[in-house]
Amino acid sequence: MQIHPLITDSKRLAELCARLAQSPFVAVDTEFMRENTYYPDLCLIQLADTNEAAAIDPKAEGLDMTPMLDLLCNNEDVLKVFHAGGQDIEIFFNLTGKTPHPMFDTQIAAMALGQGEQIGYSNLVDLWMGIQLDKGARFTDWSRRPLDKRQIDYAIADVTHLSVIFPKMLEKLKSTGRGLWLNDEMERISDAENYRNDPAKAWMRIKVQSRKPDVLGRLKAMAAWREKEAQRKNIPRGRIMKDETLADIASHPPKSQADLPKVRGLSPAWRDNEIGARLMGVIESAGPLSKDDLPERHRNGAGGGKDGSLVADLLKLLLKIRSREINVAPRLIVRTEELERLAAGERDGLELLTGWRYEQFGHDALDLVEGRLAFAVVNGKLKMTRTHEEDLAP
């Protein structure tokens, strides 16, 4: 494989992307910093196919990244391969308003092959290639220039190995008939809505005990305000105010700006500064949350009291047995929330009752909660057994 020197000019980048556009897939990775910013600070992009690989310096003066962004976000003929690519995809969404598509995530593919729920990249490389990665540059400050050869080599290795592993994984998925199992997951990850930070929805991420419309109305207004402040200043939202502080103020609003320093997590400066004045304006103008926007009541576990929780526990046991039998990570089959909803009597909108999930697990899960399936111990081993209606009489 040809490894190019660091690309810092538009001509070389355009030529690279033109060649990669003829490949069936391109492996993609990024290096970024986000400890001190709201938006990830993109520091390096690595691309590779089976023939060549390169790192691109997005901080290079005058670099036109349009050909690369077109390749990743507008070219439907080239598959984009990531490993645990959520944050990488977020970066390209922030740059273009689009996400790379079509895409393939090797971490999710590993789940379908029984290689763990969140296998790390170094473990993936060791498993598929028998190579121990050098982790020495893992904590590099990628925003600093110049980058030395060791740092660039470390970064490019992320895509050169990925370009070798992906075809092997794809072949394995085809031979096991599990390739189609991943389609929904890949489409879900590439859905642009997952990466759109809508200030009006920011409150939904914050835990608060109250369901009072006035409390939730203040929480919604303040969370949107904090999100806009953080976006405008490009600093982490927690630097403006912690979630716990927002929830506290929503539940116990101060009467005046002079009372803000009494709130845990706010400094005395909030008494007189401009941001404190803006916050008080938001609190005073916030109305109650409408009935249509009120969240559903939070369940502590499955519904149906203690029996519902026990049924959910049985479903988790069934999931553990079935995932081991078919050698698939349990999380790919179903999430805990869906098991609890099934145990609580819900049926509509559950993914485990559709497609391959229903065939592999959902059918038996439904039979278990509806009394057509039971656990039994046979010769010291846990087995599933079919029941008869007459056996269900109290």
Side-chain angles (χ1 to χ4, degrees):
M1 177 183 291
Q2 181 181 5
I3 308 297
H4 297 285
L6 181 66
I7 292 180
T8 58
D9 65 89
S10 301
K11 182 175 183 293
R12 288 177 58 214
L13 178 58
E15 291 171 348
L16 171 70
C17 292
R19 292 191 301 272
L20 292 177
Q22 306 304 312
S23 299
F25 75 90
V26 57
V28 187
D29 190 35
T30 66
E31 307 299 340
F32 57 88
M33 306 293 290
R34 70 179 313 165
E35 288 82 358
N36 299 309
T37 59
Y38 180 92
Y39 297 103
D41 179 18
L42 179 60
C43 302
L44 204 66
I45 308 107
Q46 304 94 271
L47 304 176
D49 62 5
T50 56
N51 299 313
E52 58 184 321
I56 299 106
D57 184 359
K59 294 184 175 297
E61 184 176 355
L63 182 68
D64 181 6
M65 295 197 296
T66 302
M68 180 193 68
L69 297 176
D70 282 343
L71 171 67
L72 297 180
C73 298
N74 294 324
N75 189 325
E76 291 286 318
D77 296 325
V78 179
L79 181 69
K80 294 81 184 182
V81 180
F82 296 85
H83 179 80
Q87 294 190 84
D88 303 310
I89 295 169
E90 177 190 357
I91 288 172
F92 295 118
F93 174 80
N94 290 340
L95 290 171
T96 67
K98 300 178 180 180
T99 58
H101 189 272
M103 64 149 293
F104 183 96
D105 193 305
T106 53
Q107 187 177 72
I108 294 176
M111 293 168 65
L113 297 174
Q115 295 168 355
E117 295 200 349
Q118 290 183 308
I119 187 171
Y121 183 70
S122 60
N123 289 335
L124 185 83
V125 173
D126 187 15
L127 181 66
W128 285 88
M129 300 182 66
I131 295 175
Q132 299 286 328
L133 292 181
D134 174 14
K135 300 180 181 179
R138 187 172 40 169
F139 299 108
T140 288
D141 181 350
W142 294 103
S143 65
R144 290 189 177 184
R145 294 297 183 270
L147 296 171
D148 61 34
K149 183 178 184 304
R150 180 172 179 244
Q151 292 170 322
I152 296 172
D153 289 347
Y154 170 88
I156 289 181
D158 285 347
V159 288
T160 56
H161 295 323
L162 203 58
S163 68
V164 174
I165 293 171
F166 164 66
K168 295 181 178 180
M169 293 189 86
L170 188 61
E171 192 62 33
K172 184 71 171 178
L173 287 166
K174 289 179 179 178
S175 67
T176 57
R178 295 180 178 183
L180 294 177
W181 293 11
L182 299 174
N183 287 349
D184 290 343
E185 290 299 314
M186 301 305 178
E187 289 299 318
R188 191 200 317 273
I189 290 179
S190 62
D191 185 353
E193 289 304 312
N194 294 328
Y195 308 96
R196 202 182 308 279
N197 287 326
D198 183 355
K201 296 180 180 179
W203 69 281
M204 298 177 181
R205 298 191 296 263
I206 302 172
K207 294 181 180 179
V208 63
Q209 296 298 319
S210 177
R211 293 187 76 256
K212 294 180 179 179
D214 60 329
V215 172
L216 295 180
R218 281 191 293 270
L219 183 68
K220 180 179 181 179
M222 288 192 298
W225 165 80
R226 181 184 67 167
E227 205 74 12
K228 293 174 184 176
E229 289 274 345
Q231 290 175 351
R232 180 172 61 84
K233 297 178 179 180
N234 194 25
I235 60 175
R237 61 177 70 90
R239 296 272 182 90
I240 304 290
M241 189 180 296
K242 301 293 186 185
D243 286 359
E244 298 82 358
T245 305
L246 272 181
D248 188 18
I249 294 176
S251 299
H252 309 286
K255 294 180 180 179
S256 67
Q257 186 175 352
D259 293 327
L260 285 177
K262 299 177 183 178
V263 178
R264 184 177 180 180
L266 297 186
S267 69
W270 284 77
R271 181 194 305 272
D272 304 305
N273 60 18
E274 293 183 4
I275 193 171
R278 292 197 295 272
L279 173 60
M280 286 306 303
V282 171
I283 294 171
E284 291 165 0
S285 63
L289 196 68
S290 67
K291 290 183 179 180
D292 291 339
D293 290 335
L294 282 174
E296 295 182 4
R297 288 192 177 276
H298 175 71
R299 295 193 191 94
N300 291 321
K306 293 182 179 179
D307 286 345
S309 295
L310 289 173
V311 172
D313 288 341
L314 290 176
L315 285 170
K316 293 172 187 176
L317 177 57
L318 176 62
L319 176 62
K320 184 176 182 179
I321 293 171
R322 188 52 43 80
S323 63
R324 186 173 57 197
E325 288 175 347
I326 63 176
N327 196 27
V328 172
R331 186 180 173 189
L332 184 63
I333 300 174
V334 63
R335 289 172 171 80
T336 300
E337 177 202 357
E338 281 215 346
L339 287 182
E340 293 177 346
R341 289 171 59 190
L342 183 68
E346 294 186 37
R347 301 292 183 268
D348 295 336
L350 299 182
E351 289 187 347
L352 82 161
L353 299 182
T354 62
W356 70 268
R357 291 180 171 88
Y358 178 74
E359 296 173 2
Q360 298 295 328
F361 174 74
H363 182 272
D364 285 345
L366 193 60
D367 283 350
L368 179 63
V369 298
E370 294 182 353
R372 294 185 293 273
L373 196 65
F375 291 99
V377 178
V378 180
N379 296 327
K381 294 184 178 181
L382 195 61
K383 302 284 187 180
M384 304 304 300
T385 179
R386 295 286 161 183
T387 63
H388 301 285
E389 288 191 14
E390 56 268 23
D391 296 332
L392 303 178

